[in-house]
Amino acid sequence: MAGDAPRAIAIEDLHWSDDATLEYVLHAIRRAPQAVLWLLTFRNDETHAELDRFRAETNRTRLALDLSVNRLTMAQVDQMIREIFDLGRAIRPEFLAPIFALTDGNPYFVEEALKALVTAGDIYESGDGWERKPMEQVRIPESVEIAVSARAQRLEPATLRTLTVAAVMGRRFDFGALQAITARDEETLIGHIRQLVAAQLVTEESPDVFVFRHALTREAIYATLLGREQKALHLAIARHIEATGGEAGDLSHHYFRAGAWLKASEWAWRAGERARQLHVPQAALEHDDRALIGLDRLGADTHPDGWTRGALLRARGQAREQVGDFDGARADDEAALAEAERIHDASSKWQAMIDLGALWASREYARAGEYFEQALALARVSGSPHELARSLIQVGNLLTNTGRPHLALDMQREALVIFEGARNAVAITCTLDLTGQTTQFAGNSFEAKEIYDEVIRRLRDAGDLVGLSSAVSMLQVVTGMASFDTMVAADDPSMQEPAECLSVATRCGSQPALAFALFSFASRQALVGAYAESLENARRSLTVAETIGHRQWTCGALLTIGVIYLNLLEADAAIRLLVKARELASLLKSNMWEFHTASWLARSHLAKGDIARAGEAVGSLPGFDLDPARAPATMAERQLLATQAEYCLATGDIQ
């Protein structure tokens, strides 16, 4: 009827329709009233000749408008998974990354892959919500297996064999390498590739390189091979790659899958070291796993190339720390410590203590301090100047964060003298970095800025992205933060290139570094009134920090967001966040974080006129009764005295 609202008819998965069905749909569209909206969906990588003709006809007669839907980004896949499982937290990278890689961000494949994991019991519902088992690989959805099998069955046997060899080679495969492995002449192999392209199983990326249309398609083909077939092909491919000077990462993969443990561990170690140089910790972690498994299968503690199990455990622990896997990093560091004790290697034992202390600094300073103090005791016994100096700067860092920066400066300066005597440029830069941080928290921002200008210059020259990320982020702290009462200069050059703080953190591949960069830069943005951008970056920081369980940077992100809300006169929202930050600061056992979170929580209560709660927020802190006549000795004391002054003004207790 003329008064009715326009109607819509939706037909999904048009790519599965045969010729007769498509003819009927076209006829129905032509005969339907103009008020009817037809919504027809299809996957553009699943088209066939009949569907192409259907689309050409609807376009020719101006009956249709093509709208392309882009694949989901990793962040969107993260959101999709959280919506499906009703999760309030971000998905951990070790689960999200393989899902995204194998599904290419295709929402249908994401849903099917999750369904396969639930069916297999790899994801299960518990009383506390959804949990998952450690996932070795994403299971291939049955729907994908069926679709790929149907296409493969239409291929000639020789072409199918070529396809399976290509699947063993990987998602991308080189024509020349495929020809060498299959021993086929060029004309025959081109014919096989043409059939695979026509079957929409692979696509041409360049004249020499082809790629499987979907990662899951490649996995489904690979799964049809027997284990012995897979191993034999992997070995042949590895030997060809090695003979032609191929990449260490490819050799690590293929020798490992072939079960050639000596070669697998050799190339896995090399590939892991290369990944660390390129700041790709997730790849380094994968290769380190292979190297350790290879050593286990060889029954060895030391590889013929000279590297040891302990060194490999330490390397993997660092990679796990960078991707945000605290528990995995702790397990590796503790295993490295146990290995050092087993073989009575005092130097390796000292290094494991330092690593464990640095790891625990993200969670609890008291626990970190125990390891640093033990490392310092070992260094004094060993008589190694290098170990002594490294221990001094780490104990100094602990003292800085627990409210004793002036004692820390004495230790760090002693360490600097040792490293300068040894002309150890890397160690000198590291010591200056921590000295700059200590100088800042001791209350001397101007001197701290001069130190960080020098540190950043050195790190740029050395190409140390991880160190540079930390230093550039720390410069944001030094030159002014919304949660500090003082700053060096509002027009400081560090705000001239705002992208550097985040771009370096992203490039270095470290999740803790990214969380730190995001909230430190967000706080700087808030100082110049860029509140929308500031809140976005601070919230991103909170998501990253919570996902990896980094207690210190979670506290920092919550504090930053809370201060921004207070500046926007949203005291209630600020209080909710600052209460959480205050609780985390207590768990950290960090004087610096406790003073800052308590101070801003008190100010938020004062903004609401709640003097009693403001007093409670800081009254229990050591030093709340600081003598106002005495100059504050640290940044934390300065913050506390400023809050104390506001509290006294509010209560009328002015002396």
Side-chain angles (χ1 to χ4, degrees):
M1 295 176 62
D4 290 344
R7 292 168 293 170
I9 297 175
I11 302 177
E12 294 188 344
D13 298 326
L14 207 62
H15 50 277
W16 286 340
S17 301
D18 57 19
D19 199 14
T21 301
L22 292 171
E23 285 290 339
Y24 175 80
V25 172
L26 183 60
H27 174 75
I29 291 173
R30 287 170 172 165
R31 296 292 300 273
Q34 289 187 353
V36 176
L37 173 66
W38 294 78
L39 298 173
L40 311 178
T41 69
F42 66 91
R43 296 204 292 271
N44 57 12
D45 51 7
E46 297 278 354
T47 59
H48 47 81
E50 293 86 352
L51 180 55
D52 289 340
R53 285 195 293 271
F54 172 87
R55 293 175 61 203
E57 181 62 20
T58 55
N59 287 328
R60 184 185 67 80
T61 55
R62 300 183 183 279
L63 292 172
L65 175 66
D66 277 356
L67 296 174
S68 296
V69 179
N70 294 328
R71 299 180 187 275
L72 301 180
T73 64
M74 185 176 289
Q76 290 169 331
V77 171
D78 176 281
Q79 183 179 356
M80 180 178 177
I81 296 173
R82 282 188 283 139
E83 290 290 337
I84 289 173
F85 293 110
D86 192 24
L87 298 174
R89 62 185 185 277
I91 308 302
R92 289 191 64 84
E94 68 268 19
F95 180 79
L96 178 61
I99 292 286
F100 179 74
L102 283 174
T103 61
D104 290 326
N106 184 314
Y108 169 72
F109 285 156
V110 172
E111 190 172 5
E112 290 294 294
L114 294 175
K115 189 187 301 180
L117 289 168
V118 172
T119 301
D122 292 333
I123 300 177
Y124 57 93
E125 194 169 11
S126 69
D128 297 326
W130 288 93
E131 303 290 343
R132 65 178 177 84
K133 298 176 182 177
M135 190 178 64
E136 297 298 327
Q137 62 181 18
V138 179
R139 294 182 181 272
I140 304 167
E142 186 178 3
S143 57
V144 175
E145 285 186 317
I146 293 171
V148 172
S149 176
R151 292 186 183 186
Q153 287 174 4
R154 294 195 291 267
L155 299 172
E156 296 175 359
T159 304
L160 180 58
R161 178 61 181 172
T162 297
L163 177 65
T164 56
V165 174
V168 177
M169 293 179 71
R171 175 79 186 274
R172 281 177 173 74
F173 55 93
D174 177 80
F175 184 90
L178 182 62
Q179 186 178 7
I181 301 302
T182 59
R184 303 195 189 283
D185 62 79
E186 184 169 343
E187 183 178 353
T188 300
L189 190 57
I190 288 175
H192 291 175
I193 296 293
R194 281 186 176 278
Q195 290 183 53
L196 299 179
V197 172
Q200 296 189 348
L201 292 166
V202 303
T203 60
E204 182 182 28
E205 189 172 85
S206 72
D208 297 319
V209 178
F210 296 83
V211 59
F212 278 87
R213 191 175 285 272
H214 293 298
L216 281 171
T217 299
R218 179 254 166 192
E219 290 287 338
I221 296 295
Y222 182 85
T224 63
L225 290 166
L226 296 173
R228 281 185 169 275
E229 291 178 296
Q230 293 174 357
K231 292 177 71 172
L233 284 171
H234 277 297
L235 185 59
I237 292 165
R239 286 172 173 168
H240 172 78
I241 294 172
E242 189 170 12
T244 55
E247 293 289 332
D250 293 334
L251 288 162
S252 164
H253 168 73
H254 288 295
Y255 274 127
F256 181 81
R257 288 297 185 96
W261 304 119
L262 184 62
K263 284 284 190 180
S265 55
E266 171 191 344
W267 286 106
W269 170 262
R270 295 187 189 183
E273 290 295 280
R274 180 61 176 159
R276 273 179 275 281
Q277 292 171 1
L278 295 174
H279 304 287
V280 190
Q282 191 63 54
L285 181 55
E286 182 179 351
H287 295 304
D288 292 341
D289 284 339
R290 292 173 183 160
L292 277 167
I293 292 172
L295 275 186
D296 287 341
R297 296 300 178 90
L298 292 170
D301 291 325
T302 302
H303 192 271
D305 286 349
W307 47 268
T308 65
R309 176 182 300 278
L312 189 50
L313 284 167
R314 180 177 186 243
R316 190 173 70 174
Q318 291 178 319
R320 283 177 162 172
E321 183 178 359
Q322 287 192 327
V323 301
D325 181 4
F326 175 87
D327 291 333
R330 181 180 63 177
D332 277 343
D333 289 345
E334 289 175 348
L337 176 59
E339 178 70 10
E341 290 174 335
R342 184 182 69 82
I343 62 176
H344 306 291
D345 185 339
S347 182
S348 295
K349 181 179 178 179
W350 166 85
Q351 182 64 68
M353 292 287 190
I354 290 290
D355 292 340
L356 281 162
L359 179 66
W360 272 102
S362 70
R363 294 286 183 100
E364 184 184 327
Y365 277 104
R367 189 74 174 271
E370 293 173 5
Y371 284 113
F372 287 147
E373 291 289 353
Q374 290 179 62
L376 180 58
L378 287 173
R380 294 194 188 282
V381 171
S382 72
S384 165
H386 173 81
E387 292 177 7
L388 175 60
R390 282 282 310 279
S391 301
L392 287 170
I393 63 173
Q394 292 295 359
V395 173
N397 186 45
L398 175 72
L399 291 171
T400 297
N401 283 280
T402 53
R404 293 165 287 176
H406 295 91
L407 289 177
L409 280 173
D410 291 339
M411 286 190 164
Q412 289 163 351
R413 287 165 180 160
E414 182 182 349
L416 189 60
V417 170
I418 295 173
F419 287 137
E420 286 175 340
R423 297 183 180 180
N424 188 331
V426 174
I428 290 170
T429 303
C430 177
T431 308
L432 285 172
D433 189 349
L434 290 174
T435 302
Q437 176 182 315
T438 304
T439 302
Q440 165 67 12
F441 293 131
N444 193 339
S445 297
F446 292 96
E447 184 180 342
K449 182 186 180 303
E450 292 178 357
I451 293 172
Y452 270 104
D453 287 341
E454 172 66 12
V455 168
I456 289 171
R457 183 192 65 77
R458 285 169 168 267
L459 290 169
R460 284 202 180 106
D461 290 345
D464 182 350
L465 280 184
V466 176
L468 182 61
S469 173
S470 174
V472 173
S473 298
M474 194 62 202
L475 184 62
Q476 308 300 313
V477 177
V478 169
T479 53
M481 294 186 74
S483 55
F484 287 177
D485 286 320
T486 58
M487 56 191 294
V488 173
D491 60 347
D492 186 86
S494 61
M495 284 297 287
Q496 304 291 322
E497 301 177 8
E500 182 180 24
C501 183
L502 303 185
S503 66
V504 174
T506 302
R507 283 159 51 207
C508 80
S510 169
Q511 291 298 295
L514 179 60
F516 179 31
L518 282 164
F519 84 73
S520 62
F521 181 59
S523 192
R524 279 287 276 154
Q525 288 177 307
L527 280 177
V528 295
Y531 288 115
E533 298 89 341
S534 177
L535 275 174
E536 180 182 355
N537 283 325
R539 286 167 178 157
R540 283 180 59 200
S541 172
L542 182 60
T543 297
V544 174
E546 287 183 332
T547 299
I548 64 176
H550 199 294
R551 189 177 288 165
Q552 183 171 203
W553 296 158
T554 301
C555 181
L558 287 168
L559 173 61
T560 302
I561 301 171
V563 172
I564 293 170
Y565 274 129
L566 183 58
N567 288 342
L568 294 172
L569 306 181
E570 293 284 349
D572 287 330
I575 289 169
R576 285 195 297 271
L577 292 160
L578 291 168
V579 165
K580 295 179 181 178
R582 179 72 181 84
E583 292 170 352
L584 283 175
S586 297
L587 293 173
L588 279 167
K589 295 180 172 58
S590 165
N591 170 281
M592 187 271 293
W593 286 111
E594 286 188 87
F595 274 40
H596 284 295
T597 54
S599 294
W600 283 102
L601 180 57
R603 293 183 187 193
S604 300
H605 284 304
L606 288 174
K608 290 189 64 181
D610 193 339
I611 297 175
R613 287 189 179 274
E616 292 173 5
V618 293
S620 61
L621 281 178
F624 180 67
D625 56 350
L626 285 172
D627 181 1
R630 179 175 68 81
T634 67
M635 186 70 73
E637 286 189 4
R638 181 183 299 168
Q639 189 79 27
L640 192 59
L641 281 171
T643 304
Q644 185 185 41
E646 291 191 24
Y647 178 78
C648 290
L649 285 170
T651 59
D653 182 15
I654 304 174
Q655 298 177 356

